[in-house]
Amino acid sequence: MPIVHRRRYESMFHLIFGLPCLYVITRVLWPLPWPLAVKAGVAVLLLVASQYHLWSRLSSGSVFAPEFPRLLIVLFNWAFGAIVLLAAMQLALDVVELASKVMPGGGWAIPAGWRYTEAALAMLLSAVAVQQAVRVPPLKDVTVEIENLPAGFDGFTLLQLTDLHLSRLFPAAWAREVVTRSNALGVDLIVITGDLIDGALASRRADVEPLRGLRAPDGVWVIPGNHEYFFDYAGWMRRYAELGMGVLENRHTILRRGADALVLAGVTDLSASHSGRPVHDLDAALAGAPSDAPIVLLDHQPKDAARAAAKGVALQLSGHTHGGMIQGLDRLVARANAGFVSGPYAVGAMTLYVNNGTGLWPGFALRLGTSSELTRITLRGKPRS
């Protein structure tokens, strides 16, 4: 992504994420019966927390790679999450208060005790959300039926990892635990559908090193996500290959079980057109693939699924959405991704699986009601109707 375009994109964060803080200060903090000096001090702390992404940008040159100690990143996410949740709660109370004013005998005012209660609840929920976000994810088993699946691939297992966002928040120790749990599953194939990192090569070299330990009989294959383009794209693609992963940039490989074949294809990210790098090209990825073999496609973003289905893809594996992260917010995330946000979807004759993510962006590390996942997918032949 060109630097000027990225800077403009990042600047939006500072404005957008400052608005909930201002709302909390004016509608939650200022009406409290506290001394003015105390309210002013708390307001300053809230403003500092709300500008987490600005401090991230100053620490590393990018809002996508905070280079603070992990504990500080956790605390920033907790404080920032509490502000956002509190703003949402207060908005709901303000709507009720406003509605009461137009009712006969109305004019209900929000008691101070309610403001204390919602603040405590927001801080508690934010702590839970951060804990759910940073843990090593649990296993999720998914079965996908594919028409005309060759007998040699009936029962074939693959593990999908995605959106690891290796960073100061998801460091080498976290990555090693993911690798240990992944290898213990004994799957046939491991795929990683983009956004492996947040940070420059020099900053993340130790954090990605554990990925060298991933093992599967049919290999470990990777595609880029949009975050690879925020840093040194070409350098990261070379680094993934050096770690023993096969990089599928608009190309495919063929997996075999005797005479039976399965096509594994991968495309670059839809955002590649902004970077001057090879654009997302499904036709190139499928060029020369055997016509009688089912196709499993790796595409970081799910929004182009209808086109993949029209090209005869049997299964598309995507990530990018993080499952919406928070119940309610997932509906907004779905709108930005052609209606796809989490789990399996039937798109014509194709199955699309949108993974909630192994990790997530350290700039908004919150999960409520949407779990991260290590996703083991078992392929089965679909009975003929």
Side-chain angles (χ1 to χ4, degrees):
M1 178 182 289
I3 295 214
V4 173
H5 181 83
R6 191 181 79 183
R7 291 289 186 235
R8 189 180 302 117
Y9 181 55
E10 292 181 350
S11 294
M12 292 191 306
F13 284 94
H14 312 321
L15 173 62
I16 293 171
F17 290 138
L19 294 177
C21 179
L22 295 176
Y23 192 71
V24 166
I25 290 171
T26 56
R27 294 298 302 138
V28 180
L29 174 63
W30 224 249
L32 292 174
W34 292 358
L36 181 61
V38 173
K39 288 194 284 191
V42 174
V44 169
L45 290 176
L46 290 171
L47 286 170
V48 168
S50 75
Q51 292 307 297
Y52 164 43
H53 302 94
L54 175 59
W55 314 136
S56 295
R57 181 174 173 178
L58 293 175
S59 75
S60 67
S62 171
V63 300
F64 298 104
E67 296 296 340
F68 305 126
R70 188 172 192 255
L71 178 59
L72 185 56
I73 296 175
V74 168
L75 289 174
F76 262 125
N77 273 284
W78 168 75
F80 180 74
I83 290 170
V84 172
L85 292 170
L86 182 53
M89 293 177 192
Q90 183 61 42
L91 179 60
L93 284 178
D94 283 345
V95 170
V96 173
E97 183 183 32
L98 183 62
S100 76
K101 294 182 185 301
V102 300
M103 293 181 180
W108 174 75
I110 302 171
W114 286 43
R115 288 185 163 88
Y116 295 131
T117 300
E118 65 178 348
L121 182 58
M123 288 188 287
L124 176 61
L125 286 176
S126 185
V128 171
V130 172
Q131 186 277 327
Q132 291 293 297
V134 302
R135 67 177 178 169
V136 175
L139 175 65
K140 182 176 182 180
D141 271 308
V142 176
T143 298
V144 175
E145 294 184 340
I146 294 178
E147 288 186 1
N148 302 317
L149 182 70
F153 287 93
D154 191 40
F156 183 87
T157 56
L158 63 92
L159 178 69
Q160 183 193 8
L161 306 176
T162 192
D163 298 272
L164 284 83
H165 292 280
L166 296 174
S167 57
R168 285 290 187 95
L169 184 60
F170 297 100
W174 183 89
R176 277 193 295 272
E177 183 61 25
V178 168
V179 168
T180 298
R181 294 191 187 186
S182 297
N183 288 342
L185 297 174
V187 295
D188 297 301
L189 171 73
I190 296 174
V191 299
I192 311 178
T193 48
D195 281 7
L196 281 73
I197 50 85
D198 272 313
L201 262 167
S203 302
R204 296 284 85 80
R205 187 170 295 276
D207 296 320
V208 300
E209 183 61 29
L211 299 184
R212 187 188 299 275
L214 286 170
R215 294 286 183 271
D218 287 292
V220 180
W221 298 87
V222 64
I223 59 167
N226 57 308
H227 279 230
E228 271 77 21
Y229 297 89
F230 297 153
F231 304 100
D232 178 6
Y233 174 83
W236 274 119
M237 293 303 104
R238 288 193 298 272
R239 184 60 182 153
Y240 297 157
E242 291 168 0
L243 292 172
M245 295 182 275
V247 180
L248 294 174
E249 297 174 280
N250 297 327
R251 68 183 187 93
H252 69 268
T253 188
I254 300 174
L255 309 179
R256 296 198 179 275
R257 293 289 185 273
D260 295 334
L262 181 72
V263 174
L264 179 68
V267 288
T268 56
D269 189 68
L270 286 167
S271 65
S273 59
H274 302 299
S275 69
R277 296 290 174 180
V279 299
H280 182 280
D281 192 339
L282 181 58
D283 290 333
L286 301 181
S291 59
D292 58 345
I295 301 167
V296 175
L297 174 67
L298 311 182
D299 189 346
H300 178 66
Q301 299 191 43
K303 65 176 65 173
D304 213 26
R307 183 165 181 267
K311 291 288 184 179
V313 172
L315 170 63
Q316 176 176 321
L317 301 178
S318 297
H320 184 62
T321 67
H322 303 163
M325 295 165 290
I326 298 174
Q327 287 294 319
L329 183 61
D330 59 333
R331 292 301 90 206
L332 292 176
V333 175
R335 288 172 67 90
N337 290 276
F340 307 121
V341 65
S342 177
Y345 298 86
V347 184
M350 183 186 82
T351 296
L352 164 68
Y353 187 80
V354 184
N355 192 306
N356 287 348
T358 315
L360 78 175
W361 175 46
F364 195 75
L366 303 166
R367 287 190 182 274
L368 280 175
T370 304
S371 177
S372 54
E373 57 187 77
L374 294 175
T375 314
R376 180 170 56 190
I377 298 172
T378 302
L379 305 185
R380 292 293 183 189
K382 187 174 184 178
R384 294 183 182 276
S385 54

